[in-house]
Amino acid sequence: MKVSLYHHGSEPYAVLEHSGDYGRLAVKVPGQSGLLRMCFSVPILDMHGYWVPESRTPSTKIVWVIESKSAGQRAFPYIAFFNSKQINRFSAGLTNLIDDTRILAKMNQEKCTYDITFEVALGPDSRDFELVLDRRAQRWTDSLADWRKTLVLDTPVIPDGAWEPVYCTWYAVHAAVTQDWVEENARIASSLGFRTLIIDDGWCFDVMKRVSPQTISSWYEMIGDWRLSEKKFPDFENHRRRVQAMGMKYLFWVAPFLIGAKSELAGKIAGSFRKEYHEGCYTFDSRCGEAAEILLDKMKHVLTDYGLDGLKVDFLDYIYPNPEEPRGEETTRFIRELAKTIRSVKPDALIEFRQAYATPGMHAYGTQFRAGDVPFDFIDNFHRLAQIRISMGDGVPVHADPVYWHPRESAVNISRHMIASLAGVPMLSMDLPSVSETEKRIIRHWLDFYQAHRKTLNFGKWDVTYHQSGAAYAMATGETESVLILQDSARLGEALSKAADHVFILNLSPDTLALPGADSWDGEGNPAASGVIPPGGLGERR
C-alpha cells in the first residue's frame, strides 16, 4: 500500500510505503500551517460494516461515502471496517488527537476500493504523528484498543468520588429546581445509596421552566453570567452544607462555551462568539484569547464562591471540528486550562465530561465521562456506555446518562433501566418523593449490587461484543468473577464461554433465560425459580 502525502499542492511531497497486516507510519509535519492530506485505497473485500466515533453503534451497511470529523474537543480520528462476524478487515487512525481532522472514504466502484483521505489542519503547534494501519484478522474492537495503546497520554489521578453513584436533577425537574426540592430529593437519594448530587441547568436564573417543544427554542438565552438564583436558593451555603453532611458531593452544571443572548456576558465579549444562534445562545470562539480568560475566571468563581465539590462541564463539543476553519488547538488549550483552574481550587474536584468528548485525548482533563442524553431509552444508554468503554478503555469512570422512566413504567422495565446503567457508574434523575416503594426497592437492589461488585465493574477487563448494529453484551471480568450484562439472549452461551467460573448474569434482554443450576432473583432482589433468570433479573452461576 502507498500513502501519498499532500500539502499546499497537487503533487505529493512524500509517499509512505506499507506492507503487511499492521503498520505505524511516521508522518513528518511540514514546517508551515495548512491542510495536510494523506491518501490511500483499500479493497472492499469481506467488508460488511464500519464504525467511526460518531456512529455510537456499528453500521451494518457499506455506504458510498463515509465522512467523520474530529478535533480535541469532539470525537477522534479513527475508522474501522469489518465483516459480519465483527472481524477487522481494515482500520486506520491517527495519533494526532488535537488538530481538526476529516476522514473521507469514497467508494470506487470501478476499482472495488474505498479511496480514503485523512485531512489534518496543521497549526503552529502541530507535531509529527503516526498513521496506524491495521489489517489483522481480530475483533475490530481489539484493533481499536491496540490503536489506543499507541497514544502518548497523561494519566490523571482519579478521585474516589468519580466511582460513586450519582443523583442528577435534570430530567426530574429541569430548570424548575428549588432549594427545598433539591434537599428533599437529596435526602432520599442518599438513603438509597447515591453519593454525588448534580444540580443541572436552572440554578443560575430565576425562571422556572421545563423542557418542551414550546420552551426549547430559547432555552439557553440567560446562560453565561453564572450567578446563583437567590430566588431558587435563598440560603444556599447552609443548604449545600446540609446536603454534603448527607454524604453527597455537590456539583453544578456549567457550559462555558454557551453565551446566552440575554446574558450580560454577551455584551461584554461581543465579537468573541459565533454568529449562529441556537436555542437562545451563541457559541464562544475559542480563538479569542482575552475572552477565554474571562470564561475561565467565571468557572473559577462558580467553584470557589459556592463551595462546590466539582462541575458538570457541558457542551464543549459545540465548537465543531472543521479543517477549513480549525479551532482544535485553541479549544484543547482552553479545556486544559479549565481543568487546571478547577484543580487549583480543589485538587480532587469531580469534572464530568459528556459523550462526544468522552475520548482518549480528554482523559487527562475530566474525571468521569457520561453517556449522552437518552431519556426513557435504556437500550441506547447501554449502547452509549459501550461506545465510551471501547473508546477509552478499562479503568476509566464511565457514567450512565441519568435513568428516567414514565411514572407508570413496569417494574421489569425499571429494572432493565438500572441494569443498563451498570455498564457504567449508575446515575438517576427521578422525582424521588413520587416514586413507589417498589421502584425504591429496585433502585436500592441494583445500587447494592453495584457496591458489592465495584472492584470488578470499575477495574475489571471489559469485553464489549457487538452483533449486527448493537452491543450483544458487555462483560467485566475481575480476579474472581465476571459480571455479564446481556442484551441479546441468543448469545448467552457465547458470553458464558468467556466468563469466569463465578459469573453474575444481568438480564437486560426481554426474554427469560434458562440456565440450569443458576440461582436467580427478580429486579427487586426477590428469589426467583432456580435455573430461570427473568427479564430485568439477576442470575448467579458458580
Side-chain angles (χ1 to χ4, degrees):
M1 177 188 291
K2 292 183 178 181
V3 180
S4 299
L5 276 60
Y6 300 82
H7 188 254
H8 291 305
S10 59
E11 295 298 322
Y13 75 87
V15 176
L16 306 178
E17 299 279 352
H18 168 65
S19 61
D21 290 339
Y22 182 81
R24 296 171 59 176
L25 281 61
V27 178
K28 300 294 183 181
V29 171
Q32 58 192 102
S33 299
L35 197 65
L36 169 64
R37 293 186 297 125
M38 293 157 280
C39 303
F40 54 93
S41 297
V42 296
I44 302 176
L45 186 61
D46 194 33
M47 288 182 180
H48 308 131
Y50 74 94
W51 180 89
V52 292
E54 301 100 312
S55 297
R56 302 289 183 253
T57 58
S59 170
T60 56
K61 296 181 179 180
I62 293 296
V63 297
W64 290 12
V65 178
I66 303 167
E67 184 176 14
S68 173
K69 294 181 180 180
S70 66
Q73 74 280 3
R74 188 179 178 97
F76 51 92
Y78 190 89
I79 187 169
F81 295 95
F82 40 83
N83 64 20
S84 56
K85 291 185 176 181
Q86 304 290 313
I87 298 300
N88 176 59
R89 305 316 298 148
F90 180 81
S91 299
L94 304 182
T95 59
N96 178 352
L97 305 182
I98 295 175
D99 289 322
D100 292 65
T101 299
R102 176 191 291 112
I103 302 174
L104 195 62
K106 293 185 176 181
M107 183 183 293
N108 187 326
Q109 298 179 46
E110 177 186 3
K111 297 181 178 179
C112 300
T113 61
Y114 266 119
D115 297 340
I116 299 176
T117 301
F118 279 72
E119 296 178 343
V120 182
L122 301 177
D125 295 331
S126 297
R127 298 291 182 266
D128 296 345
F129 58 89
E130 291 183 336
L131 169 63
V132 180
L133 305 175
D134 190 347
R135 293 179 182 271
R136 292 174 296 173
Q138 60 182 11
R139 296 197 315 171
W140 67 268
T141 50
D142 291 337
S143 291
L144 174 58
D146 289 342
W147 164 81
R148 192 173 55 249
K149 294 174 184 176
T150 68
L151 306 175
V152 179
L153 302 173
D154 293 330
T155 303
V157 176
I158 299 173
D160 291 341
W163 302 104
E164 294 290 350
V166 180
Y167 178 78
C168 178
T169 62
W170 178 238
Y171 295 132
V173 73
H174 293 138
V177 63
T178 66
Q179 176 177 306
D180 291 343
W181 185 94
V182 169
E183 210 158 323
E184 183 178 14
N185 276 269
R187 190 173 295 109
I188 300 172
S190 64
S191 72
L192 291 171
F194 294 96
R195 293 295 174 260
T196 296
L197 169 70
I198 295 178
I199 308 299
D200 216 292
D201 188 6
W203 63 268
C204 56
F205 54 83
D206 290 342
V207 177
M208 304 283 283
K209 58 182 179 178
R210 295 296 305 263
V211 171
S212 70
Q214 292 72 39
T215 62
I216 194 63
S217 62
S218 61
W219 185 268
Y220 296 107
E221 62 186 4
M222 292 168 283
I223 293 300
D225 298 325
W226 306 113
R227 289 192 293 267
L228 182 73
S229 168
E230 295 183 0
K231 178 179 178 181
K232 295 178 179 178
F233 295 89
D235 183 25
F236 179 77
E237 183 172 354
N238 287 322
H239 153 74
R240 185 254 304 154
R241 287 177 175 172
R242 287 193 293 270
V243 172
Q244 289 171 330
M246 299 173 191
M248 301 191 78
K249 303 287 187 183
Y250 203 115
L251 278 64
F252 272 173
W253 170 91
V254 293
F257 289 161
L258 299 192
I259 315 298
K262 293 185 178 180
S263 68
E264 294 177 12
L265 180 66
K268 291 179 180 178
I269 63 169
S272 298
F273 46 83
R274 311 285 291 177
K275 62 183 179 181
E276 292 86 359
Y277 177 87
H278 178 68
E279 295 182 354
C281 70
Y282 306 96
T283 303
F284 174 65
D285 188 338
S286 56
R287 295 171 296 185
C288 301
E290 292 184 8
E293 292 300 320
I294 293 174
L295 299 186
L296 288 170
D297 285 344
K298 285 185 175 292
M299 296 300 99
K300 185 175 183 178
H301 134 72
V302 172
L303 194 65
T304 303
D305 292 2
Y306 301 132
L308 304 177
D309 298 298
L311 297 174
K312 170 185 174 177
V313 185
D314 215 346
F315 298 126
L316 297 180
D317 55 322
Y318 267 33
I319 297 180
Y320 293 100
N322 181 4
E324 278 71 45
E325 194 178 0
R327 289 175 286 167
E329 287 186 3
E330 292 84 2
T331 307
T332 303
R333 186 178 300 115
F334 179 96
I335 295 170
R336 185 184 303 120
E337 289 302 312
L338 173 62
K340 182 179 177 181
T341 298
I342 293 172
R343 288 167 177 151
S344 71
V345 176
K346 188 174 178 58
D348 63 345
L350 301 180
I351 307 171
E352 184 195 274
F353 283 1
R354 211 151 61 117
Q355 186 102 39
Y357 44 105
T359 65
M362 290 289 106
H363 188 24
Y365 312 126
T367 63
Q368 52 232 64
F369 300 86
R370 181 175 68 81
D373 290 10
V374 285
F376 309 108
D377 192 342
F378 58 82
I379 294 175
D380 200 13
N381 208 357
F382 177 62
H383 286 157
R384 286 171 177 263
L385 290 165
Q387 187 222 6
I388 299 175
R389 289 211 174 275
I390 65 171
S391 298
M392 300 197 71
D394 297 329
V396 177
V398 176
H399 282 221
D401 188 53
V403 172
Y404 179 65
W405 56 79
H406 190 283
R408 296 196 302 275
E409 185 57 274
S410 69
V412 167
N413 281 339
I414 291 170
S415 185
R416 294 169 76 194
H417 269 285
M418 293 301 300
I419 288 173
S421 76
L422 293 181
V425 177
M427 188 182 302
L428 181 80
S429 185
M430 295 293 295
D431 180 30
L432 292 175
S434 301
V435 304
S436 67
E437 289 304 313
T438 296
E439 291 168 289
K440 289 178 182 176
R441 284 194 296 271
I442 295 171
I443 295 167
R444 187 179 290 110
H445 167 61
W446 289 115
L447 289 187
D448 287 347
F449 181 89
Y450 172 78
Q451 293 293 353
H453 301 277
R454 279 182 56 163
K455 186 176 180 181
T456 299
L457 293 167
N458 295 343
F459 304 109
K461 179 175 176 55
W462 278 86
D463 172 358
V464 176
T465 294
Y466 288 95
H467 175 68
Q468 300 291 345
S469 60
Y473 56 86
M475 181 167 61
T477 299
E479 296 176 1
T480 62
E481 66 180 19
S482 294
V483 176
L484 167 64
I485 301 174
L486 186 71
Q487 159 68 9
D488 183 352
S489 59
R491 277 162 175 75
L492 175 59
E494 173 191 327
L496 290 177
S497 70
K498 297 188 283 184
D501 290 339
H502 189 191
V503 57
F504 295 88
I505 302 96
L506 284 58
N507 189 3
L508 184 60
S509 84
D511 305 315
T512 298
L513 305 177
L515 187 59
D519 296 325
S520 62
W521 298 264
D522 66 15
E524 296 179 50
N526 301 312
S530 178
V532 177
I533 308 171
L538 167 67
E540 180 181 10
R541 187 194 73 175
R542 293 181 182 272

